[in-house]
Amino acid sequence: MSPIPAKKYNRELRRLQAELVDMQAWVQATGARIVVIFEGRDAAGKGSTIKRVAEHLNPRVTRIVALPAPTEREREQWYFQRYVPHLPAAGEIVLMDRSWYNRAGVEHVMGYCTNAEYHRFLHQAPIFERLLVEDGIVLLKYWFSVSPDEQEARFRSRAKDPMRRWKLSPNDLMSITRWEDYSRAKDTMFVHTDTPEAPWFEVPSVDKRRSRINMISHLLTRIPYGHVEPEPVEIPTRPGARGYERPPRNLENYVPDVAAALED
């Protein structure tokens, strides 16, 4: 499968992002609540896809949720409790960069939870999600997959790039040596949580451009939005001067003009 040419990719991405802006306007106008879960293999392109989805959306309407490791108090709560405050109110979209499915993946594989906690999660997750959907939340779950060779290549690329090295955590590196463990965990998770109310949708992402286009296109087909005509915006005429005098510039602090060195 050949890569999508950059020019065609950028044109289609721009079109889809304009549709996302229309969808966001519909969400605000109708009070819809949307949760989009991004899960998958490490280095499978979840973060870069979220970035493209949210790039032109209003951050006060569309929030990205990427929770850190739970605190001691959160570990003593009902597992889903720490996620509930991040669910959307009317007119909001939440993009979850990983989610409660941490328990079915990294926590289970790496031994961060007990077997009892793991099996309780597999039992409760479909119930929890059914309650969200019954209450009117649109819940979409995407699993980004990547081949073991491509994952390793992306890890090596990150390790050489000082701008992206922060993306490599010890758990990320362990995912190479525990590939089959994560595969079994994913298969088990799908058996228990791929439900009619909240199905999983897989996104092959060896080609990141293709995966972004496919995921965003699918997202737009799953939300019954319509075009909302925006309120007309009138830029007022600036009034004339009314005696204001700016203080002398030498009394203010300015950042150095280092950009001047870039001039021809």
Side-chain angles (χ1 to χ4, degrees), residues 9-53:
Y9 162 74
N10 289 326
R11 182 169 61 244
E12 180 62 7
L13 178 63
R14 184 76 176 180
R15 185 189 71 79
L16 292 172
Q17 288 176 327
E19 288 292 320
L20 287 170
V21 171
D22 275 352
M23 184 265 288
Q24 179 183 247
W26 174 85
V27 168
Q28 288 183 275
T30 61
R33 294 171 291 163
I34 298 174
V35 175
V36 186
I37 288 176
F38 294 77
E39 290 284 351
R41 296 281 188 177
D42 295 314
K46 301 180 296 297
S48 61
T49 303
I50 292 171
K51 180 179 179 181
R52 270 63 177 191
V53 171

Side-chain angles (χ1 to χ4, degrees), residues 219-237:
L219 167 67
L220 291 168
T221 67
R222 301 292 296 186
I223 298 173
Y225 72 98
H227 179 71
V228 176
E229 193 65 32
E231 294 290 333
V233 177
E234 294 185 9
I235 308 299
T237 302

Side-chain angles (χ1 to χ4, degrees), residues 40-46 49 144-146 154 158 203 205 208 211:
R41 296 281 188 177
D42 295 314
K46 301 180 296 297
T49 303
F144 287 72
S145 60
V146 68
R154 290 177 186 177
R158 289 179 180 181
V203 185
S205 57
K208 286 188 177 182
S211 68

